Amino acid sequence: MALALALAEKGKFTVSPNPRVGACVVSRGKLVGSGYHEKFGGPHAEPNALMKAGKRARGATLYVTLEPCSSWQKTPPCAPFIKERGIRSVIIGCLDPNPLNHGKGVHYLRKAGISVKCGVLAAEVQRQNEGFFKYVTAGRPFVTLKMAQTLDGKIATREGLSRWISSPPSREFVHRLREEHDAVLVGKNTFYQDDPRLTLPKNSPALAAGKPWKVALVSEKGWSPRARIFRDSRPTILVFSEKHLQRIVKQAAVRKGNWTLLPVKEHDGKVSIPELLKKLAVLGITKLLVEGGGELAWSFLEAGCVDRAVWIVAPKIFGGRDAKTSVEGSGVKTPRQGFVFRTEKVGKCGDDWILEGNFQKRKQQK
């Protein structure tokens, strides 16, 4: 199963919004075939592995990270193909969360007389496919909130300068973090003030796959076609309030470029985060990295839409009562209502510290 997980990882840049899946065929203690889901719309891991095994698949054991599908979608179902190839037993990492398949593949195989065991390295499979699981169960992407700040919580100086808070190794870490996501989102302040490029490591395989997409919130004042975010061929999505639709469309008509417009309804005077995420999910985005400023960070936290947080803390002090902080917005009323960070991983990167974890559900404000 560990080998199947490693094989599944090979599809990390090309299979979304499908899950990453790997499969191995073992006969008499020997690996006779292996494969993985290579690209969205292409054959799944099971037929790829079984075709390589050929006749040796008969009477063998199939290891697969995710439950074999039992319904026709873009490709034929895998469960009947497993039966046809004469597999004797199937070891499954995790059940498919998709209601179209959940438990049905297992039921089909057992009904066909095939031995089935589930739950081998299930936590690893779920972590590998956290975007797919969130996409299927909640109808939105898995959201990672990333922030780089000083020891005193500042993300810019009093003059609004932010380059650079973190060390070069930390910036390389962020480039690799972007590779893990389908899209990277920045807020209006970041878009207009920092003019980000959202770069990746040189020769990144993600770039060859056109990932990650770039998502930016914009205001009614529009944008410059010369903005650095447009400098490469990856898709760029410009998000704005529906109430500015006519004005934005007029500007887009005269500002030709490689972008897609995405109007979203407002909530309390701001773009609705839950609706934005649902619309991004419809576009096939299952993992989203949020790199905005304090206002955007608060919006995602307040909406309960942060699944993981990555906090980079640089050993610097900026000070300044007017300097921007990592989380702003209206804030909580009492300490008990604060967002409690549950640390899963702490590490040193250059001179900085990187904390990774998630937030506990907090008490509602009254």
Side-chain angles (χ1 to χ4, degrees):
M1 190 61 74
L3 175 58
L5 273 163
L7 288 169
E9 199 63 14
K10 292 184 176 183
K12 66 189 294 184
F13 302 120
T14 53
V15 301
S16 186
N18 280 357
R20 306 172 193 176
V21 184
C24 296
V25 183
V26 176
S27 178
R28 298 179 182 179
K30 294 183 178 180
L31 180 68
V32 296
S34 63
Y36 64 99
H37 184 32
E38 298 178 11
K39 64 179 181 179
F40 179 70
H44 289 182
E46 300 93 323
N48 282 338
L50 290 168
M51 291 298 287
K52 288 182 181 178
K55 294 181 179 179
R56 293 173 295 179
R58 190 159 298 278
T61 297
L62 173 69
Y63 291 80
V64 59
T65 57
L66 198 65
E67 178 184 13
C69 60
S70 57
S71 61
W72 276 84
Q73 295 182 54
K74 287 184 175 296
T75 58
C78 294
F81 190 69
I82 293 170
K83 174 188 174 183
E84 177 188 316
R85 288 283 160 162
I87 287 292
R88 177 178 55 84
S89 63
V90 179
I91 311 298
I92 299 171
C94 184
L95 291 179
D96 189 338
N98 189 337
L100 289 173
N101 297 312
H102 185 73
K104 296 176 183 177
V106 170
H107 176 74
Y108 179 94
L109 294 171
R110 285 176 174 162
K111 191 175 180 181
I114 299 172
S115 172
V116 179
K117 180 180 179 180
C118 296
V120 178
L121 299 183
E124 288 84 346
V125 175
Q126 291 179 23
R127 179 62 182 258
Q128 185 179 61
N129 287 296
E130 58 194 4
F132 174 73
F133 273 69
K134 181 64 70 172
Y135 174 78
V136 169
T137 60
R140 69 166 177 85
F142 184 96
V143 175
T144 298
L145 174 62
K146 168 256 157 183
M147 191 62 64
Q149 66 169 55
T150 61
L151 279 176
D152 56 339
K154 304 300 184 182
I155 60 172
T157 68
R158 65 183 186 185
E159 298 294 329
L161 302 177
S162 59
R163 294 175 183 161
W164 295 101
I165 292 174
S166 56
S167 63
S170 292
R171 298 199 291 275
E172 291 177 11
F173 166 82
V174 172
H175 291 169
R176 294 192 299 272
L177 183 64
R178 288 171 183 164
E179 284 186 310
E180 298 292 326
H181 293 78
D182 294 327
V184 180
L185 182 147
V186 296
K188 287 184 285 190
N189 291 336
T190 300
F191 178 69
Y192 290 118
Q193 295 176 15
D194 294 351
D195 192 19
R197 290 185 61 187
L198 303 180
T199 53
L200 271 71
K202 292 181 179 179
N203 303 318
S204 168
L207 289 173
K211 297 288 183 69
W213 293 4
K214 299 162 291 182
V215 185
L217 272 64
V218 298
S219 70
E220 68 276 14
K221 70 180 182 182
W223 61 94
S224 168
R226 293 185 296 277
R228 301 199 307 165
I229 202 170
F230 303 124
R231 287 189 181 177
D232 62 56
S233 60
R234 286 176 291 153
T236 303
I237 301 171
L238 301 178
V239 179
F240 56 92
S241 169
E242 280 187 347
K243 70 180 184 181
H244 303 310
L245 180 60
Q246 290 186 340
R247 185 170 181 177
I248 292 291
V249 169
K250 282 184 179 180
Q251 293 182 57
V254 296
R255 296 177 179 177
K256 303 298 182 182
N258 181 30
W259 52 66
T260 299
L261 301 180
L262 185 64
V264 177
K265 292 180 181 178
E266 283 192 0
H267 176 71
D268 290 339
K270 297 181 179 179
V271 164
S272 168
I273 298 302
E275 187 188 348
L276 167 60
L277 293 177
K278 287 182 179 180
K279 287 194 171 186
L280 292 178
V282 170
L283 295 176
I285 295 172
T286 65
K287 292 191 71 175
L288 178 70
L289 178 63
V290 176
E291 292 196 44
E295 292 294 335
L296 188 66
W298 172 258
S299 295
F300 271 84
L301 285 167
E302 187 179 35
C305 294
V306 176
D307 301 297
R308 178 173 294 123
V310 177
W311 236 254
I312 302 171
V313 182
K316 299 175 183 178
I317 298 290
F318 281 178
R321 65 178 60 88
D322 297 324
K324 293 291 184 180
T325 57
S326 55
V327 182
E328 297 189 330
S330 58
V332 300
K333 292 182 178 179
T334 68
R336 291 188 63 195
Q337 294 169 338
F339 293 90
V340 178
F341 185 78
R342 301 183 63 176
T343 306
E344 297 176 349
K345 183 178 178 182
V346 178
K348 197 85 185 296
C349 189
D351 294 328
D352 309 324
W353 289 96
I354 299 181
L355 292 82
E356 299 182 45
N358 55 45
F359 291 98
Q360 292 180 345
K361 290 185 178 180
R362 68 189 182 112
K363 296 181 180 295
Q364 295 297 314
Q365 298 189 56
K366 295 181 179 179

